[in-house]
Amino acid sequence: MHSLDWLVLALSLLGVVAFGVWKTRKQRDAKSFLMGDNSLPWWTIGLSVMATQASAVTFISLPGKAFQDGMGFIQFYLGMPLAVLVVSAVIMPLFYRTKVFTAYEFLEKRFGRLPRLYTAFLFLVQRGLAAGITIYAPAIVLSTLLGWNLTLTNIFIGILVIIYTVSGGSKAVAQTQKQQMGVMMLGLFVAAALLMVGISNHMPLNEGLSMAGMTGKFNLIDLKPDFSSRYNIWSGILGGFFLSLSYFGTDQSQVGRYIGGKDIRQSRMGLLFNALFKIPMQLLVLFVGVLVFVFFQFNPQPVHYNAPQLDVLRASDEARPALLQSEADYRAVVSKKQQLQEAWEAGQLSDSEFGPAYRGQLQKEQSIRQDVRDLVVSHIPEGDPNDSDYIFLSYIMGYLPVGLVGLLLAMIFSGAMSSTAGELNALGSVTAVDFIQTFGLMPSSGKGQLLVSRLATAAWGLLAIVFATVFSLFDNLIEAVNIIGSLFYGTILGIFCVAFFMRWVGGRAVLWAGLIAEAFVLLVYFGTEPLSLAFGWDLEAPAYLWLNPIGCLLTMLLAALLQPFMPKPVATIE
Amino acid sequence: MGYGTKHRLNLGILYLLAMQDHEKPPLLPSWKAWYLLVIGVEALLIVLLYILTQRFA
């Protein structure tokens, strides 16, 4: 990497960290550390809410997903604006009225201690794992492509975040997230503009986009109701609604962002800002992936995007002949694609002739790329064959001018830091308030409480680094984060829904309902395949987004069924 | 009036709580107007995405 890129990267990252530490240097007590003195205006809250969601995974994985499967992933976000409205109108006023530090504190006021501790525990498990992935995701890809040491990259990202999160708490997280969102949006627009220019050098942009459309990249809305299809409008609106309701209404990494507002008016506006701008932002990220796809139709692209793995295969006497054959086949397909493009541009092929013929070549290309992935599996046992997370970075490293490589890497690091900071702040808050304070272990002095809150945040930061160093890759990193969330969010949301909407249900019934529902969700996700194999059943696990409504509705149903056999609830919230 | 004393919390409370907010939000006259704006933008977006999908199918 050029020294100018290093300079841009270092200035962007260290500048933001230094700003965060300086701006929030006067921390007085735990309340100021955990809630930022309730001083944040709505635009800071809105950007902070968006930055907490936008991790490095967003910028690494999402373009690769659009490159391979098209933009259908956008349907995942369609339930979010509706969920934000419910949070804004119903859940947020309850948190403000009960003056809670964390979402789970509200549950103790409603149900008693055990349901609060159980729900907070589920949150710590899923958010702790997710924090590991948000550090690991950029680290594995950057270390592979740039030759950096993976463990050191994990530690570097983690330590940077720990410095300002432990120093300045919630306010530092929100202040730095504003700057980080600026870096992210700048990087995104620069990447899109350069890709459009790059495509225009070969064919008019509208023709390039038509070609992407004919190869299925603009599969934005799928109306077919298929329970096992990961992304269609039904799973997006319904499953996404439940997932988002749980995320924004019960996940402390989001609740902590908006209850730090000056008042409920500022917090509400911050969330509505997110409801309006989140989907357009994700559309832009996916669109960049489609532009990379079109760009690579005119520019040399490797048969496998994880270059170091290709080097290993080339060096292997056993794998080399098969790899060379695949590369030769690949060159033949690329040549055929070029002929088809030229014929189409010259008007010798109509759209209806070009589309199927080009798609046929793309399928051959996919098949060859799969052969190479199989080679990776058989010859590099510890290697992950999925290379979609390397596609966008291959473009950045191979085609961007000096200086902009540093900016785009800063965009990815900013994503990693902004989301990790939000998560660590939330994990620290829940540990301090829901566990240490609840068990009477919190010191009485303000300074002591501040120290404990800082130590809890630092401990989760170190644990996230440890998680990050022991992770192995999922299919696609962005799905990994959402799958982990979906395993727990349904039950958590169900417990909160019982708290909000079923006043006749008490703590013991909801606790049992939550335990059984969580066991069922885990069984559905992990047990369907082994059970089908063991008993010869023809079962298919639902797509992971459906786990959210399943967990939520099952918790509510079981709570209603169990309540008649349990003690009546005692009203504790007035 | 506190939570749970007069109102039973059910789905209808969503509407009630939204309507009880007399505080004027920034830019628009009421929170209800903001909520309608979000729903309208979402609906428009889905229609646009559907048209794009059909256009390139």
Side-chain angles (χ1 to χ4, degrees):
Chain A
M1 210 163 76
H2 195 275
S3 50
L4 183 62
D5 291 315
W6 279 110
L7 188 68
V8 172
L9 181 62
L11 282 179
S12 313
L13 299 186
L14 298 178
V16 169
V17 172
F19 174 80
V21 172
W22 176 77
K23 183 94 178 164
T24 57
R25 59 197 180 283
K26 292 172 188 165
Q27 291 293 337
R28 296 185 309 277
D29 51 32
K31 183 175 188 299
S32 145
F33 181 82
L34 297 174
M35 295 182 78
D37 286 330
N38 286 102
S39 60
L40 302 176
W42 66 265
W43 54 89
T44 302
I45 295 172
L47 289 172
S48 177
V49 164
M50 280 177 82
T52 300
Q53 298 163 70
S55 66
V57 173
T58 308
F59 301 105
I60 290 176
S61 278
L62 223 48
K65 188 145 191 64
F67 181 103
Q68 288 203 318
D69 307 326
M71 294 175 70
F73 188 78
I74 197 66
Q75 294 166 110
F76 170 83
Y77 298 98
L78 293 180
M80 182 273 294
L82 304 175
V84 163
L85 294 189
V86 177
V87 173
S88 177
V90 181
I91 299 177
M92 193 189 288
L94 290 175
F95 288 154
Y96 263 92
R97 281 181 203 189
T98 45
K99 295 184 175 67
V100 291
F101 279 65
T102 73
Y104 317 107
E105 208 179 339
F106 172 81
L107 290 178
E108 179 160 354
K109 293 174 190 284
R110 170 71 173 83
F111 290 127
R113 184 157 293 179
L114 272 180
R116 170 192 184 175
L117 293 177
Y118 173 60
T119 316
F121 171 74
L122 288 183
F123 166 77
L124 290 181
V125 171
Q126 70 99 355
R127 193 44 66 190
L129 288 171
I133 291 185
T134 48
I135 292 178
Y136 169 80
I140 177 71
V141 178
L142 291 167
S143 64
T144 305
L145 282 184
L146 302 172
W148 300 348
N149 179 289
L150 174 61
T151 309
L152 287 180
T153 312
N154 277 330
I155 292 172
F156 175 71
I157 297 173
I159 293 290
L160 271 186
V161 177
I162 289 173
I163 288 173
Y164 68 87
T165 314
V166 169
S167 155
S170 181
K171 205 168 176 181
V173 172
Q175 292 294 349
T176 49
Q177 281 176 330
K178 265 199 300 191
Q179 331 297 327
Q180 286 159 340
M181 270 305 282
V183 174
M184 286 186 246
M185 292 315 293
L186 179 66
L188 211 49
F189 279 110
V190 166
L194 288 175
L195 279 161
M196 286 183 195
V197 171
I199 292 167
S200 303
N201 290 337
H202 295 276
M203 68 161 51
L205 185 61
N206 61 336
E207 284 187 24
L209 294 181
S210 293
M211 194 173 77
M214 278 184 270
T215 50
K217 301 301 174 197
F218 290 112
N219 54 350
L220 290 149
I221 298 287
D222 178 8
L223 292 176
K224 209 170 91 185
D226 180 354
F227 200 57
S228 59
S229 152
R230 273 196 173 171
Y231 307 109
N232 56 45
I233 193 165
W234 313 112
S235 69
I237 289 182
L238 277 173
F241 172 79
F242 279 90
L243 178 64
S244 301
L245 197 57
S246 191
Y247 182 53
F248 290 102
T250 71
D251 187 314
Q252 183 62 23
S253 67
Q254 283 300 340
V255 175
R257 306 269 56 81
Y258 61 72
I259 57 171
K262 257 184 201 159
D263 51 40
I264 191 169
R265 186 170 169 259
Q266 304 295 327
S267 300
R268 248 188 205 149
M269 277 304 296
L271 268 192
L272 294 179
F273 175 87
N274 178 75
L276 286 172
F277 292 103
K278 174 70 180 172
I279 296 180
M281 180 185 156
Q282 298 305 105
L283 265 175
L284 180 60
V285 180
L286 287 165
F287 185 59
V288 164
V290 172
L291 289 175
V292 173
F293 168 81
V294 179
F295 181 86
F296 274 142
Q297 302 311 305
F298 309 110
N299 294 281
Q301 56 173 326
V303 68
H304 188 69
Y305 284 93
N306 190 331
Q309 285 184 344
L310 274 185
D311 293 340
V312 173
L313 291 179
R314 277 200 196 93
S316 154
D317 289 340
E318 281 178 39
R320 196 184 312 115
L323 177 65
L324 291 177
Q325 182 60 51
S326 291
E327 286 182 324
D329 295 344
Y330 193 67
R331 281 193 294 274
V333 170
V334 169
S335 164
K336 180 70 184 164
K337 275 168 41 184
Q338 267 172 352
Q339 288 170 16
L340 287 169
Q341 278 169 23
E342 283 161 9
W344 179 58
E345 284 180 71
Q348 294 160 355
L349 283 177
S350 67
D351 286 0
S352 58
E353 289 167 328
F354 172 75
Y358 203 83
R359 276 198 293 273
Q361 292 306 313
L362 284 177
Q363 275 167 4
K364 276 189 193 167
E365 191 180 288
Q366 285 303 319
S367 156
I368 296 165
R369 281 162 52 79
Q370 186 55 48
D371 290 344
V372 177
R373 286 190 202 115
D374 293 342
L375 273 180
V376 170
V377 172
S378 53
H379 290 87
I380 313 176
E382 76 284 7
D384 172 54
N386 191 329
D387 62 341
S388 69
D389 294 325
Y390 295 80
I391 293 171
F392 186 47
L393 272 165
S394 298
Y395 164 74
I396 292 174
M397 301 308 295
Y399 294 94
L400 286 190
V402 169
L404 291 180
V405 173
L407 175 69
L408 269 285
L409 290 182
M411 171 183 85
I412 292 167
F413 271 103
S414 294
M417 288 163 62
S418 66
S419 52
T420 310
E423 289 170 333
L424 294 190
N425 184 242
L427 288 163
S429 303
V430 171
T431 306
V433 175
D434 292 296
F435 288 93
I436 296 175
Q437 194 176 53
T438 300
F439 289 119
L441 301 172
M442 188 66 101
S444 54
S445 72
K447 275 190 178 172
Q449 291 176 358
L450 180 60
L451 179 67
V452 167
S453 304
R454 281 183 163 151
L455 285 176
T457 309
W460 275 107
L462 295 174
L463 205 56
I465 295 175
V466 172
F467 283 154
T469 54
V470 297
F471 265 119
S472 66
L473 280 169
F474 278 64
D475 241 15
N476 177 287
L477 293 167
I478 195 155
E479 285 182 336
V481 175
N482 291 321
I483 289 170
I484 289 176
S486 296
L487 288 175
F488 299 96
Y489 272 149
T491 307
I492 294 177
L493 179 63
I495 292 171
F496 273 90
C497 281
V498 173
F500 297 144
F501 304 124
M502 296 162 69
R503 289 194 56 243
W504 45 277
V505 174
R508 198 176 290 182
V510 83
L511 180 63
W512 278 108
L515 286 166
I516 297 168
E518 186 55 42
F520 182 76
V521 167
L522 294 175
L523 181 72
V524 167
Y525 189 74
F526 293 107
T528 303
E529 202 179 318
L531 283 174
S532 297
L533 284 174
F535 296 103
W537 295 339
D538 186 20
L539 290 177
E540 196 175 356
Y544 72 87
L545 273 177
W546 292 110
L547 297 175
N548 297 285
I550 289 172
C552 175
L553 296 174
L554 189 61
T555 303
M556 294 174 77
L557 177 72
L558 287 172
L561 292 175
L562 289 171
Q563 181 52 43
F565 308 100
M566 305 281 176
K568 282 187 178 171
V570 180
T572 50
I573 297 178
E574 290 302 328
Chain B
M1 181 177 67
Y3 159 65
T5 51
K6 288 195 177 173
H7 291 302
R8 286 183 68 82
L9 267 186
N10 53 41
L11 286 172
I13 200 94
L14 190 159
Y15 182 77
L16 281 178
L17 276 171
M19 293 307 99
Q20 278 173 357
D21 268 314
H22 300 305
E23 258 186 286
K24 196 172 174 291
L27 305 174
L28 291 179
S30 67
W31 288 113
K32 193 178 166 189
W34 269 109
Y35 296 160
L36 286 175
L37 177 74
V38 170
I39 291 170
V41 169
E42 160 108 3
L44 191 67
L45 201 63
I46 290 176
V47 171
L48 280 174
L49 296 180
Y50 181 70
I51 291 170
L52 263 176
T53 306
Q54 293 302 305
R55 157 78 179 78
F56 288 111

